[in-house]
Structures are given as C-alpha cells and as structure tokens.
Amino acid sequence: MHTTSVTSSYYVLLRHGKYIQQAPKAELKSQFCSITNSLPAVATKYLEKHKWDLLQALQTFYNQPAQTAVPNKKVSKDLEAIFDKYKDPESPAIILIDGTLAYLEDLGFDPEDLVSLTLAYVLKSPQTGEFNRDVFLEVWSTLGISSIQGMKSHILAQHQSIADSPSEFEKFYQYVFDFVRGSDVRIKTIGYEDAVLYWKMLFSSRESLADALTMLNHWYTFIETNKRNISKDAWNMFYKFVIQVIVADPVNLTGYDEMSAWPSVVDEFMEWLQDNEILPPQ
C-alpha cells in the first residue's frame, strides 16, 4: 500500500469532490499529479480507467501495491537507440547541447519555439540543452513511446494541454525559472536579458494575455532599462501580478495595492510607470 494515502490534499478532495469532478480533464490530471507526485502518463492511466473520476482514480492508486503504481516497463531497444543517437560521447549518461539540437531537428521543433520548452518540461531537463538518460528512458517507457514520431505527437499534445490549463501553465512557467538558472541552486537570480527573452516566449502566444501585451512591453522596457536581474520569488510573483493586476485592467492597473506583498521590483515598476506618465500619479 502507498504510505502517502493519508495525505491531507487527498482528504481535502474528499470534502470537495463534487466541485473537483466538474473540472476539465487537464485540471483533473494536474490535481492527480500534484497529489501523488506521479508522471502525467500515470495520471492519465488511472483517470481514464475511472472515466475521469478523480476520487475513484486516487482511491485505486493508493490501494495498489507501491511497486505497481508506476509501471516498471522494460526499456525497449528502440528507445535506448534513440537516446544513444544523441548522447554526449564523453558523458554517455546525458545529452548535451549538440545532441539536443540534433534531437530537436529530428522532432521538427525550432529551438526558439515554446514547444522546445515543453519538451524540456516533460523530460525534466535541469538546464538548457541537457537531458538525463534515466529520466529520458523512464518518461518515454512509462508512456510506451519508442519512436521519434510518437515523441513528437505526445509533446505537441502536452503543449496544447499546458496552453489550455491555467494551473498547468503556471507550473510550467515556474519550471522555466529553474531551467534558465541551471542546476546550480546556489545561483539565486537569472539575468535580466534571459528573463525578458523567456517572458516574451511564454506570454506572446497566450490569447488570454492579448490585451496585456502593451503593458507587458512596458515591463520589459523597465527591466532592460534598469538591468534588474530576477529572483525566483520575483519571477513567480510577477506571473500572479500579470493575472491579478495587468489582465484585470491592462490600461490603469487599478488592482494594484501598494500595501500588498508584491516583490520590490513590481513596486518600482509602478513608480516607473508614473514617472514616465504612463500611469497617473496615485
């Protein structure tokens, strides 16, 4: 039995099951992964088995022997051959930048397209241009995928799923900071140029942010003008600022409250907007 079956998150769901069952499939899958710490493929397996009844899927998951919760499939030779094609000759347990570029080319993905970040997210890449052998084989084996075409189809489907689910997009957004920073957790910030580059990549294609793009461009100008490197907290909180303040009123930002716990860079941005007569003084 899974020792995590008494998790408080699970019992919260039991109390609010009616609401949860009405959620979109992407949200149900995100909830399952968050509670069980499972791969999306495992979530899909249990949810489909129970016709997307989250509570039933969780009950089955927690009542299964631990060793069967995540399928322990034998890695196919075809899948190993795919990894080996791109592995670094001097570090055979990882794919590095040259192999990553070749992999993306075979998948038909532009390295500068957001879908390449989706690939990194699905394969839990620790930093730009790097994939770990064990994770690569585990993810694709769990999904039962051992061909380039199968990988491409799955990534495109996940890319759409992330785009359609606000909660999944926010998790994806938060992952991007760690991806850009790299695996050295001693590094606390990312450079302002990288931050702006990835903000533009993440936000420009989201229809829900179409009306916010003018204000977002002011934000990019402010960050570049002041050369402000970005901490993880500022990165994560800025997304909340985008949704709660900029999207709500993209012209006047009336939802901003200087007494709220926004990071200092957001407060400085508001002052900058007023100093440059983009917003009236408050």
Side-chain angles (χ1 to χ4, degrees), residues 37-241:
N37 198 29
S38 299
L39 292 170
V42 176
T44 301
K45 171 190 170 184
Y46 282 92
L47 287 164
E48 286 183 344
K49 180 178 180 180
H50 292 284
K51 298 180 179 180
W52 296 90
D53 184 317
L54 179 57
L55 296 180
Q56 289 295 323
L58 287 169
Q59 287 170 351
T60 298
F61 177 87
Y62 285 125
N63 285 321
Q64 290 286 340
Q67 65 269 24
T68 64
V70 178
N72 186 22
K73 294 186 177 181
K74 183 178 180 181
V75 176
S76 74
K77 295 296 183 183
D78 290 342
L79 182 55
E80 288 184 325
I82 290 175
F83 183 90
D84 289 343
K85 177 180 180 181
Y86 308 113
K87 69 183 180 183
D88 185 73
E90 297 182 1
S91 303
I94 53 176
I95 295 172
L96 293 178
I97 188 63
D98 290 341
T100 295
L101 291 174
Y103 186 33
L104 290 172
E105 182 177 356
D106 288 349
L107 288 166
F109 296 158
D110 186 329
E112 297 183 5
D113 193 283
L114 189 60
V115 73
S116 296
L117 271 180
T118 301
L119 174 69
Y121 178 64
V122 170
L123 294 181
K124 304 176 185 177
S125 171
Q127 57 193 7
T128 305
E130 182 175 323
F131 296 103
N132 176 278
R133 178 184 179 88
D134 289 343
V135 176
F136 185 99
L137 298 180
E138 177 192 0
V139 170
W140 292 127
S141 292
T142 300
L143 293 166
I145 295 173
S146 58
S147 69
I148 289 293
Q149 186 55 50
M151 293 173 181
K152 180 176 182 176
S153 297
H154 179 75
I155 294 303
L156 291 174
Q158 288 297 108
H159 188 68
Q160 188 61 51
S161 178
I162 290 168
D164 292 343
S165 168
S167 63
E168 191 62 33
F169 180 81
E170 185 168 6
K171 286 173 24 181
F172 174 58
Y173 172 89
Q174 292 173 354
Y175 159 80
V176 169
F177 179 90
D178 294 332
F179 174 78
V180 176
R181 178 197 61 193
S183 55
D184 188 348
V185 296
R186 295 173 298 178
I187 299 173
K188 302 301 181 184
T189 62
I190 60 175
Y192 70 92
E193 292 174 320
D194 282 338
V196 170
L197 174 68
Y198 281 92
W199 273 322
K200 289 180 177 179
M201 187 183 297
L202 287 160
F203 293 151
S204 62
S205 62
R206 288 191 69 74
E207 293 182 7
S208 62
L209 300 182
D211 293 338
L213 291 181
T214 297
M215 189 57 69
L216 285 171
N217 284 330
H218 289 318
W219 169 260
Y220 305 146
T221 300
F222 163 74
I223 294 295
E224 291 172 332
T225 300
N226 291 277
K227 297 180 170 55
R228 289 292 302 265
N229 291 342
I230 302 298
S231 68
K232 186 169 185 175
D233 177 66
W235 175 271
N236 290 344
M237 289 298 292
F238 178 65
Y239 181 71
K240 296 185 182 301
F241 181 76

